[in-house]
Structure formats: structure tokens, C-alpha cells
Amino acid sequence: MITGELKNKVDRLWEMFWTGGLTNPLDVIEQITYLMFIRDLDQTDNTRQKESIMLEIPYKSIFSKDEHLKWSVLRDKPAEAMYQTMLTEVFPFIKTLNGNSGSYAKYMADAIFKVPTPQLLEKIITSLDDMYAHIDKLPDKKDARGDLYEYMLSKISTAGTNGQFRTPRHIIRMMVELLDLQPEDIVCDPACGTSGFLVSAGEYLKEHYLEEIFYNKEAKAHYDNKMFTGYDMDRTMLRIGAMNMMTHGIQNPHIEYKDSLSDQNTDTGKYTKILANPPFKGSLDHDIVSTDLLKITKTKKTELLFLTLFLRMLKNGGRCASIVPDGVLFGSSRAHKAIRKEIIENHRLEMIISMPSGVFKPYAGVSTAVIVFTKTGAGGTDKVWFYDMQNDGYSLDDKRTKIDGSNIQDIIERSKALDKEESRKRTEQSFLVPKDEIVENDYDLSINKYKQSTYVEEEYPHPLEIMAEINELEKEITSGLAELEAALRG
């Protein structure tokens, strides 16, 4: 998390866009992303040229015929010349890179330059250089750069209308912890948005397996090129998501434009871990949905189709943690029951973590849960662990201010020692429910179906005791009034 001077620099940069006429937060982060990429092209090209000289390996600069398009040259031009070069030459240039300069370049085909004036562009470029200079002085500058981008992304949600693109960071981290990622995993988010789940997965692995991954050539190559896959149908999100991953040190993430539920997506038995918060709203036309998904769950509801998709995409033994609306857990339609039965009977359902309805405020008040399961193809559900999260560390109103008492650490610790949950009673915050009981309840996975309320008997004074207390109070009041009246007359 960035603080202090760097945070203030980002806020000032954001304010430049706002006062300059770009008020849509997605437009702002997209334009900043383009400019960061253009700046990175210059630095990366210089680094590769130096390395080629040291190693005596031939290298042809991508700027060999266009030196004047380099960031280091651009920033020294007068404002008007800088603006015209950016508009008429730099943006057309980056659109032709076609992946020849990092994975991010392939998302630039429809990039549009929206900075409205030369004066604003000059201010923005100066501000970005200032931010990078500050980061370069920090001891952990790689982490700081990722944190910088994360902080800018957080402004998408705080700015209003586009909050649906962001899952709260602490909820993402909890889900990553629940899956216990390993260096050899292949991780996917089929509705990746800004790649928050994939970034968090990468950070988790960096924290827990630093030597195993970053001091092993093959493991590092897997981490950079094959471990992370994300799909989305919004090209703006793809650009932002890819840049988010690259700023967090993942060199070549596989972020691709794809409708995950359609026949475009042929992934089968490919991933060991899936992390997702798929779109809940809206229905789909049966004609565009992959037919093999409809065989299990004949529905138009995206939240049910995505669960079916996860089962198909996972390898046997692969695990999934996904956010689902509460309706998935207790819906009575044939499709709702079919997907729950499929997971419980043919695979292994592990956990249902019920979250309070305010987790996604102020953008949505829908009640949600985290479902965790393992694909087995041969059953395996024995007991399902339920947890009633009541506090995620933030207030449950629209302000979502930080508060004490978060249940998240308790959830993570208990999830890693489920054998100790055997003795927990149904009146407590977490407990185990046998599969047979769930089957008897028509595969209902709502925590309220199994949680028992505790009734505490309250003892109240006898009415005559209460009356005596009232009479005594009246006497004191009457006496007090008499004394006051006497004092006023005297």
C-alpha cells in the first residue's frame, strides 16, 4: 500500500485529469496505462541494448527508425509538438507493435488517445516522471510500482459507477489463502477484469515460495509465462489487467479477449486452480452458450453456467474458490439444484463461507458467499464446512470504513484445521455439516438451513418491584420540586 508523498503525487495526477475534463475513472486509468507503457518501452529498449552490448548479442531497437518517438525525447519537446507527436505518431506506432514488445502490446490495437490539450499532456508527463523518480529511490521499487498501480485501480471503485469491476482486495486475498497455491500451479480467472485475483495469487506465491520460484530458472519461466491466465470481454479491462500484472512483476501473463461461456472457450482439464468473481447479473442466449455446459445446467443464468464451466476447466484434483450470489446456494429451480447436486455428488464440496450483504457496497447490496470445491469426477464430499462471516474488517454501510474485529484471519486459520471443527456446535460461527444431511435438504447450501440460534433466557423483576421503584422515584421528584419552590419563594 502506498502512503505519504507517493500517494499525494498520484492524487495530484488524478486531479489533473479531472480538472482537464476527463472525469470517467476508467478513461483516466486507461490513459495513464497507455503513457506508462510508452515510457516503459523506452526503458526496456535501452536495457536490452545495454545487455546486447555486454553479451555481444545483436539487438535491433524497436525505435531504430523512430528515435523521436521515445519517451526520453518526447518529454523535452514543447507542449504543442509533444502533443502532435503523441497523437499522430506515437499512438499509431504502438498499435503496430503486435506483441513484439511484451504481452501488453497486443491489447493496443484499438487504443485511443483522449488527453484533450497539449498543456495537460505536458503536466501529466512531468508528473509521471516525478512519480517514477520517487519510486526509483525506494528500496523496494518493484513492489512500489505494483502498489502504485493498485492504488490507481482502487480509484475506479471509489469514483462510483464502475465499482462492479473490483472485488475487495481483502476478500480476494482470503480466497487465495483458502486455495493454498503452489509453485507448479496453473491459475485461471475466466472473468478477470483488472486481474485482481491473478495479481494476488502472484503476490502470495512470491511471499511463500520466493526461493523455489525466483531462484529456479524453470519455475521462474513457468511463473512468468504459463502460470496465469485470464479472460475478459472488455478490451479496456484487458489492457488494464495486463498492465496490472506486468507492474507486479509477471512478465508475460496470458490475458486474452474471450467470452468464457461461449464455444470460443475450449479449455478442458487445463487448470489446477481457479479464482473468480464471475458476473451475476443478466441472462444469456442459449445459442451463444457452449453446449457442453448446458448438458449439466440448462439455464441462462451466468452464475450457474460459470460454476459448470469451472468444473470443465479444472484438472482432476484442481480446486476452485468463487464468489456466488446467495441464490446459488438455495435456489429451487431445476438448474440451481442440478449444479449443486453435480458438485456435491460427483466432486468434493469443501466450504461455504457466507458473507454479509454489505461487502460489495456501495455498488451492490446483494448477499454473497464464497464456495470452495475440488474437481474429482468421482465424488468425495463427506462433510461441508460452513462459516458465517459477520465482520470483514469494514463497516457494512456505503462508507465501508475500516473497523476492528474482522473474521477473515479466523476463517483462514480454521480452514487449514478442519478436523478441529468436528466439535463445533451449530450455534457457533463455523461448523461441519454431513453430506447426508445436505442431500436430505434437497442440496440446500444456505447456512441458515443448518445454523441454530441461541436463545438466552432473560429474567425481569416482578411487576410489584417495578411499581415500588416508580413510586420511590415519584416521591424523590415531588420532594425535589417542593424544595425548588421553597427556594424560589424565599
Side-chain angles (χ1 to χ4, degrees), residues 350-395:
E350 300 173 38
M351 306 173 197
I352 301 290
I353 298 163
S354 176
M355 297 193 291
S357 58
V359 165
F360 289 96
K361 280 190 174 183
Y363 313 103
V366 62
S367 294
T368 57
V370 175
I371 183 171
V372 180
F373 58 86
T374 300
K375 177 179 178 177
T376 66
T381 303
D382 179 21
K383 293 181 179 180
V384 179
W385 185 57
F386 286 82
Y387 193 106
D388 184 14
M389 182 199 290
Q390 296 167 2
N391 182 345
D392 71 331
Y394 294 83
S395 63

mmCIF file of all heavy atoms in Angstrom, residues 350-395:
data_model
loop_
_atom_site.group_PDB
_atom_site.id
_atom_site.type_symbol
_atom_site.label_atom_id
_atom_site.label_comp_id
_atom_site.label_asym_id
_atom_site.label_seq_id
_atom_site.Cartn_x
_atom_site.Cartn_y
_atom_site.Cartn_z
ATOM 1 N N GLU A 350 -16.139 -28.433 -0.424
ATOM 2 C CA GLU A 350 -15.365 -28.289 0.814
ATOM 3 C C GLU A 350 -15.915 -27.226 1.759
ATOM 4 O O GLU A 350 -16.077 -27.478 2.946
ATOM 5 C CB GLU A 350 -13.912 -27.931 0.473
ATOM 6 C CG GLU A 350 -13.196 -28.971 -0.377
ATOM 7 C CD GLU A 350 -11.838 -28.475 -0.818
ATOM 8 O OE1 GLU A 350 -11.159 -27.794 -0.023
ATOM 9 O OE2 GLU A 350 -11.450 -28.751 -1.958
ATOM 10 N N MET A 351 -16.192 -26.034 1.222
ATOM 11 C CA MET A 351 -16.522 -24.906 2.107
ATOM 12 C C MET A 351 -17.589 -24.004 1.504
ATOM 13 O O MET A 351 -17.616 -23.791 0.290
ATOM 14 C CB MET A 351 -15.284 -24.036 2.365
ATOM 15 C CG MET A 351 -14.075 -24.755 2.876
ATOM 16 S SD MET A 351 -12.637 -23.638 2.934
ATOM 17 C CE MET A 351 -11.310 -24.844 3.065
ATOM 18 N N ILE A 352 -18.407 -23.451 2.384
ATOM 19 C CA ILE A 352 -19.319 -22.366 2.045
ATOM 20 C C ILE A 352 -19.094 -21.269 3.087
ATOM 21 O O ILE A 352 -19.349 -21.482 4.280
ATOM 22 C CB ILE A 352 -20.798 -22.800 2.084
ATOM 23 C CG1 ILE A 352 -21.068 -23.952 1.110
ATOM 24 C CG2 ILE A 352 -21.713 -21.605 1.802
ATOM 25 C CD1 ILE A 352 -21.003 -23.571 -0.350
ATOM 26 N N ILE A 353 -18.595 -20.130 2.656
ATOM 27 C CA ILE A 353 -18.346 -19.014 3.566
ATOM 28 C C ILE A 353 -19.363 -17.923 3.256
ATOM 29 O O ILE A 353 -19.288 -17.259 2.213
ATOM 30 C CB ILE A 353 -16.910 -18.494 3.431
ATOM 31 C CG1 ILE A 353 -15.936 -19.610 3.809
ATOM 32 C CG2 ILE A 353 -16.689 -17.263 4.301
ATOM 33 C CD1 ILE A 353 -14.528 -19.388 3.342
ATOM 34 N N SER A 354 -20.332 -17.774 4.132
ATOM 35 C CA SER A 354 -21.395 -16.790 3.932
ATOM 36 C C SER A 354 -20.882 -15.410 4.313
ATOM 37 O O SER A 354 -20.368 -15.209 5.424
ATOM 38 C CB SER A 354 -22.600 -17.169 4.796
ATOM 39 O OG SER A 354 -23.607 -16.193 4.697
ATOM 40 N N MET A 355 -21.002 -14.443 3.401
ATOM 41 C CA MET A 355 -20.501 -13.091 3.659
ATOM 42 C C MET A 355 -21.658 -12.126 3.881
ATOM 43 O O MET A 355 -22.750 -12.311 3.336
ATOM 44 C CB MET A 355 -19.640 -12.616 2.484
ATOM 45 C CG MET A 355 -18.396 -13.465 2.270
ATOM 46 S SD MET A 355 -17.193 -12.724 1.148
ATOM 47 C CE MET A 355 -18.050 -12.823 -0.421
ATOM 48 N N PRO A 356 -21.440 -11.073 4.682
ATOM 49 C CA PRO A 356 -22.513 -10.099 4.917
ATOM 50 C C PRO A 356 -22.864 -9.333 3.646
ATOM 51 O O PRO A 356 -22.029 -9.168 2.748
ATOM 52 C CB PRO A 356 -21.932 -9.178 5.988
ATOM 53 C CG PRO A 356 -20.466 -9.406 5.978
ATOM 54 C CD PRO A 356 -20.221 -10.769 5.441
ATOM 55 N N SER A 357 -24.087 -8.858 3.572
ATOM 56 C CA SER A 357 -24.572 -8.236 2.338
ATOM 57 C C SER A 357 -23.871 -6.920 2.005
ATOM 58 O O SER A 357 -23.940 -6.448 0.878
ATOM 59 C CB SER A 357 -26.081 -8.002 2.413
ATOM 60 O OG SER A 357 -26.399 -7.184 3.521
ATOM 61 N N GLY A 358 -23.164 -6.330 2.972
ATOM 62 C CA GLY A 358 -22.522 -5.037 2.708
ATOM 63 C C GLY A 358 -21.145 -5.119 2.095
ATOM 64 O O GLY A 358 -20.523 -4.086 1.827
ATOM 65 N N VAL A 359 -20.638 -6.322 1.829
ATOM 66 C CA VAL A 359 -19.261 -6.483 1.336
ATOM 67 C C VAL A 359 -19.027 -5.732 0.033
ATOM 68 O O VAL A 359 -17.956 -5.181 -0.190
ATOM 69 C CB VAL A 359 -18.927 -7.986 1.166
ATOM 70 C CG1 VAL A 359 -17.669 -8.170 0.337
ATOM 71 C CG2 VAL A 359 -18.736 -8.639 2.523
ATOM 72 N N PHE A 360 -20.044 -5.684 -0.846
ATOM 73 C CA PHE A 360 -19.863 -5.023 -2.145
ATOM 74 C C PHE A 360 -20.494 -3.630 -2.195
ATOM 75 O O PHE A 360 -20.663 -3.062 -3.268
ATOM 76 C CB PHE A 360 -20.419 -5.903 -3.265
ATOM 77 C CG PHE A 360 -19.588 -7.116 -3.531
ATOM 78 C CD1 PHE A 360 -19.898 -8.332 -2.948
ATOM 79 C CD2 PHE A 360 -18.464 -7.048 -4.330
ATOM 80 C CE1 PHE A 360 -19.121 -9.457 -3.167
ATOM 81 C CE2 PHE A 360 -17.678 -8.160 -4.558
ATOM 82 C CZ PHE A 360 -18.002 -9.366 -3.983
ATOM 83 N N LYS A 361 -20.864 -3.098 -1.047
ATOM 84 C CA LYS A 361 -21.378 -1.727 -1.034
ATOM 85 C C LYS A 361 -20.248 -0.751 -1.344
ATOM 86 O O LYS A 361 -19.089 -1.051 -1.094
ATOM 87 C CB LYS A 361 -22.002 -1.427 0.339
ATOM 88 C CG LYS A 361 -23.402 -1.988 0.494
ATOM 89 C CD LYS A 361 -24.070 -1.463 1.746
ATOM 90 C CE LYS A 361 -25.521 -1.900 1.812
ATOM 91 N NZ LYS A 361 -26.211 -1.355 2.975
ATOM 92 N N PRO A 362 -20.537 0.412 -1.916
ATOM 93 C CA PRO A 362 -21.870 0.981 -2.152
ATOM 94 C C PRO A 362 -22.487 0.603 -3.501
ATOM 95 O O PRO A 362 -23.488 1.159 -3.892
ATOM 96 C CB PRO A 362 -21.602 2.482 -2.115
ATOM 97 C CG PRO A 362 -20.220 2.614 -2.671
ATOM 98 C CD PRO A 362 -19.467 1.387 -2.199
ATOM 99 N N TYR A 363 -21.879 -0.353 -4.210
ATOM 100 C CA TYR A 363 -22.319 -0.636 -5.574
ATOM 101 C C TYR A 363 -23.381 -1.711 -5.654
ATOM 102 O O TYR A 363 -24.158 -1.753 -6.601
ATOM 103 C CB TYR A 363 -21.103 -1.027 -6.433
ATOM 104 C CG TYR A 363 -19.980 -0.059 -6.202
ATOM 105 C CD1 TYR A 363 -18.900 -0.391 -5.403
ATOM 106 C CD2 TYR A 363 -20.061 1.236 -6.702
ATOM 107 C CE1 TYR A 363 -17.907 0.529 -5.132
ATOM 108 C CE2 TYR A 363 -19.077 2.156 -6.437
ATOM 109 C CZ TYR A 363 -18.001 1.803 -5.655
ATOM 110 O OH TYR A 363 -17.033 2.717 -5.388
ATOM 111 N N ALA A 364 -23.405 -2.600 -4.678
ATOM 112 C CA ALA A 364 -24.415 -3.657 -4.675
ATOM 113 C C ALA A 364 -24.617 -4.123 -3.245
ATOM 114 O O ALA A 364 -23.670 -4.228 -2.476
ATOM 115 C CB ALA A 364 -23.956 -4.829 -5.552
ATOM 116 N N GLY A 365 -25.862 -4.382 -2.899
ATOM 117 C CA GLY A 365 -26.175 -4.849 -1.558
ATOM 118 C C GLY A 365 -26.495 -6.321 -1.520
ATOM 119 O O GLY A 365 -26.979 -6.834 -0.518
ATOM 120 N N VAL A 366 -26.218 -7.030 -2.616
ATOM 121 C CA VAL A 366 -26.568 -8.442 -2.719
ATOM 122 C C VAL A 366 -25.758 -9.277 -1.723
ATOM 123 O O VAL A 366 -24.592 -9.013 -1.470
ATOM 124 C CB VAL A 366 -26.327 -8.956 -4.165
ATOM 125 C CG1 VAL A 366 -24.864 -8.851 -4.550
ATOM 126 C CG2 VAL A 366 -26.824 -10.376 -4.344
ATOM 127 N N SER A 367 -26.422 -10.266 -1.136
ATOM 128 C CA SER A 367 -25.727 -11.189 -0.239
ATOM 129 C C SER A 367 -24.961 -12.212 -1.068
ATOM 130 O O SER A 367 -25.484 -12.744 -2.050
ATOM 131 C CB SER A 367 -26.733 -11.909 0.660
ATOM 132 O OG SER A 367 -27.344 -10.991 1.535
ATOM 133 N N THR A 368 -23.742 -12.486 -0.654
ATOM 134 C CA THR A 368 -22.881 -13.390 -1.421
ATOM 135 C C THR A 368 -22.201 -14.393 -0.498
ATOM 136 O O THR A 368 -22.229 -14.260 0.729
ATOM 137 C CB THR A 368 -21.791 -12.609 -2.182
ATOM 138 O OG1 THR A 368 -21.038 -11.845 -1.232
ATOM 139 C CG2 THR A 368 -22.394 -11.687 -3.221
ATOM 140 N N ALA A 369 -21.577 -15.382 -1.113
ATOM 141 C CA ALA A 369 -20.806 -16.375 -0.369
ATOM 142 C C ALA A 369 -19.610 -16.780 -1.207
ATOM 143 O O ALA A 369 -19.575 -16.553 -2.420
ATOM 144 C CB ALA A 369 -21.671 -17.593 -0.053
ATOM 145 N N VAL A 370 -18.631 -17.388 -0.562
ATOM 146 C CA VAL A 370 -17.501 -17.994 -1.262
ATOM 147 C C VAL A 370 -17.705 -19.500 -1.219
ATOM 148 O O VAL A 370 -17.914 -20.075 -0.145
ATOM 149 C CB VAL A 370 -16.156 -17.623 -0.603
ATOM 150 C CG1 VAL A 370 -15.011 -18.375 -1.278
ATOM 151 C CG2 VAL A 370 -15.922 -16.124 -0.678
ATOM 152 N N ILE A 371 -17.662 -20.120 -2.381
ATOM 153 C CA ILE A 371 -17.777 -21.575 -2.472
ATOM 154 C C ILE A 371 -16.418 -22.136 -2.873
ATOM 155 O O ILE A 371 -15.758 -21.606 -3.772
ATOM 156 C CB ILE A 371 -18.881 -21.990 -3.471
ATOM 157 C CG1 ILE A 371 -19.047 -23.514 -3.502
ATOM 158 C CG2 ILE A 371 -18.619 -21.444 -4.877
ATOM 159 C CD1 ILE A 371 -20.262 -23.972 -4.301
ATOM 160 N N VAL A 372 -15.977 -23.172 -2.171
ATOM 161 C CA VAL A 372 -14.688 -23.806 -2.457
ATOM 162 C C VAL A 372 -14.939 -25.289 -2.712
ATOM 163 O O VAL A 372 -15.576 -25.964 -1.897
ATOM 164 C CB VAL A 372 -13.697 -23.640 -1.286
ATOM 165 C CG1 VAL A 372 -12.364 -24.315 -1.609
ATOM 166 C CG2 VAL A 372 -13.478 -22.166 -0.964
ATOM 167 N N PHE A 373 -14.468 -25.786 -3.858
ATOM 168 C CA PHE A 373 -14.648 -27.202 -4.164
ATOM 169 C C PHE A 373 -13.468 -27.735 -4.961
ATOM 170 O O PHE A 373 -12.678 -26.979 -5.537
ATOM 171 C CB PHE A 373 -15.962 -27.446 -4.925
ATOM 172 C CG PHE A 373 -16.095 -26.688 -6.211
ATOM 173 C CD1 PHE A 373 -15.567 -27.191 -7.401
ATOM 174 C CD2 PHE A 373 -16.754 -25.464 -6.251
ATOM 175 C CE1 PHE A 373 -15.693 -26.497 -8.594
ATOM 176 C CE2 PHE A 373 -16.881 -24.757 -7.445
ATOM 177 C CZ PHE A 373 -16.359 -25.274 -8.618
ATOM 178 N N THR A 374 -13.361 -29.060 -4.983
ATOM 179 C CA THR A 374 -12.313 -29.757 -5.730
ATOM 180 C C THR A 374 -12.949 -30.620 -6.800
ATOM 181 O O THR A 374 -13.922 -31.329 -6.529
ATOM 182 C CB THR A 374 -11.472 -30.654 -4.797
ATOM 183 O OG1 THR A 374 -10.863 -29.836 -3.794
ATOM 184 C CG2 THR A 374 -10.387 -31.388 -5.565
ATOM 185 N N LYS A 375 -12.410 -30.558 -8.015
ATOM 186 C CA LYS A 375 -12.903 -31.430 -9.077
ATOM 187 C C LYS A 375 -12.284 -32.821 -8.895
ATOM 188 O O LYS A 375 -11.064 -32.964 -8.833
ATOM 189 C CB LYS A 375 -12.514 -30.871 -10.451
ATOM 190 C CG LYS A 375 -12.943 -31.776 -11.604
ATOM 191 C CD LYS A 375 -12.553 -31.177 -12.951
ATOM 192 C CE LYS A 375 -12.929 -32.091 -14.100
ATOM 193 N NZ LYS A 375 -12.621 -31.498 -15.418
ATOM 194 N N THR A 376 -13.135 -33.841 -8.801
ATOM 195 C CA THR A 376 -12.640 -35.211 -8.666
ATOM 196 C C THR A 376 -13.191 -36.122 -9.763
ATOM 197 O O THR A 376 -12.531 -37.055 -10.195
ATOM 198 C CB THR A 376 -13.027 -35.814 -7.307
ATOM 199 O OG1 THR A 376 -14.452 -35.952 -7.244
ATOM 200 C CG2 THR A 376 -12.543 -34.937 -6.162
ATOM 201 N N GLY A 377 -14.434 -35.851 -10.200
ATOM 202 C CA GLY A 377 -15.076 -36.721 -11.178
ATOM 203 C C GLY A 377 -15.558 -38.019 -10.573
ATOM 204 O O GLY A 377 -16.133 -38.864 -11.262
ATOM 205 N N ALA A 378 -15.334 -38.186 -9.273
ATOM 206 C CA ALA A 378 -15.717 -39.449 -8.624
ATOM 207 C C ALA A 378 -16.282 -39.205 -7.225
ATOM 208 O O ALA A 378 -16.178 -40.053 -6.356
ATOM 209 C CB ALA A 378 -14.503 -40.363 -8.545
ATOM 210 N N GLY A 379 -16.856 -38.026 -7.009
ATOM 211 C CA GLY A 379 -17.423 -37.724 -5.695
ATOM 212 C C GLY A 379 -16.348 -37.412 -4.682
ATOM 213 O O GLY A 379 -15.223 -37.056 -5.025
ATOM 214 N N GLY A 380 -16.697 -37.561 -3.401
ATOM 215 C CA GLY A 380 -15.720 -37.281 -2.347
ATOM 216 C C GLY A 380 -16.224 -36.331 -1.291
ATOM 217 O O GLY A 380 -15.560 -36.109 -0.274
ATOM 218 N N THR A 381 -17.413 -35.737 -1.503
ATOM 219 C CA THR A 381 -17.965 -34.851 -0.486
ATOM 220 C C THR A 381 -18.318 -35.684 0.747
ATOM 221 O O THR A 381 -19.076 -36.654 0.661
ATOM 222 C CB THR A 381 -19.226 -34.124 -0.991
ATOM 223 O OG1 THR A 381 -18.907 -33.404 -2.183
ATOM 224 C CG2 THR A 381 -19.760 -33.163 0.055
ATOM 225 N N ASP A 382 -17.775 -35.312 1.877
ATOM 226 C CA ASP A 382 -18.053 -36.017 3.131
ATOM 227 C C ASP A 382 -18.788 -35.077 4.080
ATOM 228 O O ASP A 382 -19.950 -35.265 4.404
ATOM 229 C CB ASP A 382 -16.742 -36.508 3.744
ATOM 230 C CG ASP A 382 -16.951 -37.221 5.069
ATOM 231 O OD1 ASP A 382 -18.079 -37.689 5.312
ATOM 232 O OD2 ASP A 382 -15.995 -37.299 5.861
ATOM 233 N N LYS A 383 -18.080 -34.040 4.507
ATOM 234 C CA LYS A 383 -18.680 -33.007 5.341
ATOM 235 C C LYS A 383 -18.342 -31.651 4.732
ATOM 236 O O LYS A 383 -17.234 -31.453 4.223
ATOM 237 C CB LYS A 383 -18.164 -33.091 6.770
ATOM 238 C CG LYS A 383 -18.604 -34.364 7.498
ATOM 239 C CD LYS A 383 -18.086 -34.392 8.917
ATOM 240 C CE LYS A 383 -18.562 -35.671 9.621
ATOM 241 N NZ LYS A 383 -18.067 -35.731 11.021
ATOM 242 N N VAL A 384 -19.272 -30.736 4.787
ATOM 243 C CA VAL A 384 -19.070 -29.391 4.236
ATOM 244 C C VAL A 384 -18.916 -28.413 5.390
ATOM 245 O O VAL A 384 -19.702 -28.440 6.341
ATOM 246 C CB VAL A 384 -20.248 -28.978 3.333
ATOM 247 C CG1 VAL A 384 -20.035 -27.558 2.791
ATOM 248 C CG2 VAL A 384 -20.410 -29.967 2.184
ATOM 249 N N TRP A 385 -17.885 -27.577 5.287
ATOM 250 C CA TRP A 385 -17.614 -26.592 6.340
ATOM 251 C C TRP A 385 -18.352 -25.295 6.020
ATOM 252 O O TRP A 385 -18.197 -24.737 4.933
ATOM 253 C CB TRP A 385 -16.117 -26.340 6.433
ATOM 254 C CG TRP A 385 -15.712 -25.444 7.559
ATOM 255 C CD1 TRP A 385 -15.958 -25.625 8.892
ATOM 256 C CD2 TRP A 385 -14.954 -24.219 7.462
ATOM 257 N NE1 TRP A 385 -15.411 -24.599 9.635
ATOM 258 C CE2 TRP A 385 -14.790 -23.730 8.786
ATOM 259 C CE3 TRP A 385 -14.403 -23.509 6.401
ATOM 260 C CZ2 TRP A 385 -14.095 -22.549 9.063
ATOM 261 C CZ3 TRP A 385 -13.718 -22.339 6.666
ATOM 262 C CH2 TRP A 385 -13.561 -21.863 7.982
ATOM 263 N N PHE A 386 -19.147 -24.831 6.965
ATOM 264 C CA PHE A 386 -19.865 -23.568 6.834
ATOM 265 C C PHE A 386 -19.270 -22.549 7.804
ATOM 266 O O PHE A 386 -18.954 -22.882 8.951
ATOM 267 C CB PHE A 386 -21.345 -23.756 7.167
ATOM 268 C CG PHE A 386 -22.133 -24.475 6.101
ATOM 269 C CD1 PHE A 386 -22.126 -25.860 6.028
ATOM 270 C CD2 PHE A 386 -22.895 -23.766 5.176
ATOM 271 C CE1 PHE A 386 -22.835 -26.530 5.051
ATOM 272 C CE2 PHE A 386 -23.618 -24.427 4.197
ATOM 273 C CZ PHE A 386 -23.586 -25.811 4.133
ATOM 274 N N TYR A 387 -19.128 -21.315 7.323
ATOM 275 C CA TYR A 387 -18.666 -20.224 8.185
ATOM 276 C C TYR A 387 -19.560 -19.018 7.964
ATOM 277 O O TYR A 387 -19.802 -18.610 6.825
ATOM 278 C CB TYR A 387 -17.212 -19.859 7.882
ATOM 279 C CG TYR A 387 -16.586 -18.971 8.945
ATOM 280 C CD1 TYR A 387 -15.664 -19.494 9.843
ATOM 281 C CD2 TYR A 387 -16.934 -17.631 9.080
ATOM 282 C CE1 TYR A 387 -15.088 -18.695 10.838
ATOM 283 C CE2 TYR A 387 -16.383 -16.830 10.069
ATOM 284 C CZ TYR A 387 -15.456 -17.365 10.947
ATOM 285 O OH TYR A 387 -14.908 -16.578 11.943
ATOM 286 N N ASP A 388 -20.034 -18.445 9.049
ATOM 287 C CA ASP A 388 -20.901 -17.273 8.992
ATOM 288 C C ASP A 388 -20.067 -16.022 9.249
ATOM 289 O O ASP A 388 -19.889 -15.599 10.395
ATOM 290 C CB ASP A 388 -22.015 -17.412 10.038
ATOM 291 C CG ASP A 388 -23.025 -16.265 9.974
ATOM 292 O OD1 ASP A 388 -23.011 -15.518 8.967
ATOM 293 O OD2 ASP A 388 -23.817 -16.119 10.911
ATOM 294 N N MET A 389 -19.511 -15.449 8.171
ATOM 295 C CA MET A 389 -18.723 -14.224 8.321
ATOM 296 C C MET A 389 -19.649 -13.066 8.689
ATOM 297 O O MET A 389 -20.602 -12.781 7.977
ATOM 298 C CB MET A 389 -17.992 -13.887 7.020
ATOM 299 C CG MET A 389 -17.117 -12.637 7.124
ATOM 300 S SD MET A 389 -16.679 -11.914 5.516
ATOM 301 C CE MET A 389 -15.560 -13.121 4.874
ATOM 302 N N GLN A 390 -19.334 -12.413 9.789
ATOM 303 C CA GLN A 390 -20.156 -11.281 10.228
ATOM 304 C C GLN A 390 -19.422 -9.954 10.139
ATOM 305 O O GLN A 390 -20.031 -8.895 10.154
ATOM 306 C CB GLN A 390 -20.645 -11.534 11.665
ATOM 307 C CG GLN A 390 -21.569 -12.742 11.755
ATOM 308 C CD GLN A 390 -21.818 -13.199 13.176
ATOM 309 O OE1 GLN A 390 -21.329 -12.599 14.137
ATOM 310 N NE2 GLN A 390 -22.560 -14.279 13.332
ATOM 311 N N ASN A 391 -18.089 -10.024 10.037
ATOM 312 C CA ASN A 391 -17.278 -8.810 10.002
ATOM 313 C C ASN A 391 -16.089 -9.047 9.083
ATOM 314 O O ASN A 391 -15.270 -9.933 9.326
ATOM 315 C CB ASN A 391 -16.816 -8.474 11.430
ATOM 316 C CG ASN A 391 -16.001 -7.186 11.507
ATOM 317 O OD1 ASN A 391 -15.529 -6.662 10.499
ATOM 318 N ND2 ASN A 391 -15.812 -6.681 12.703
ATOM 319 N N ASP A 392 -16.001 -8.266 8.011
ATOM 320 C CA ASP A 392 -14.861 -8.411 7.086
ATOM 321 C C ASP A 392 -13.806 -7.340 7.317
ATOM 322 O O ASP A 392 -12.891 -7.176 6.512
ATOM 323 C CB ASP A 392 -15.345 -8.381 5.632
ATOM 324 C CG ASP A 392 -15.806 -6.998 5.196
ATOM 325 O OD1 ASP A 392 -16.270 -6.219 6.054
ATOM 326 O OD2 ASP A 392 -15.708 -6.684 3.995
ATOM 327 N N GLY A 393 -13.952 -6.609 8.431
ATOM 328 C CA GLY A 393 -12.965 -5.580 8.752
ATOM 329 C C GLY A 393 -13.353 -4.191 8.313
ATOM 330 O O GLY A 393 -12.598 -3.240 8.507
ATOM 331 N N TYR A 394 -14.558 -4.072 7.707
ATOM 332 C CA TYR A 394 -15.043 -2.766 7.258
ATOM 333 C C TYR A 394 -16.520 -2.633 7.612
ATOM 334 O O TYR A 394 -17.250 -3.632 7.685
ATOM 335 C CB TYR A 394 -14.862 -2.616 5.738
ATOM 336 C CG TYR A 394 -13.411 -2.587 5.315
ATOM 337 C CD1 TYR A 394 -12.701 -3.774 5.134
ATOM 338 C CD2 TYR A 394 -12.735 -1.382 5.135
ATOM 339 C CE1 TYR A 394 -11.362 -3.768 4.781
ATOM 340 C CE2 TYR A 394 -11.393 -1.366 4.769
ATOM 341 C CZ TYR A 394 -10.717 -2.551 4.597
ATOM 342 O OH TYR A 394 -9.389 -2.525 4.251
ATOM 343 N N SER A 395 -16.963 -1.388 7.816
ATOM 344 C CA SER A 395 -18.378 -1.168 8.119
ATOM 345 C C SER A 395 -19.224 -1.613 6.933
ATOM 346 O O SER A 395 -18.765 -1.587 5.782
ATOM 347 C CB SER A 395 -18.631 0.314 8.424
ATOM 348 O OG SER A 395 -18.350 1.115 7.287
#
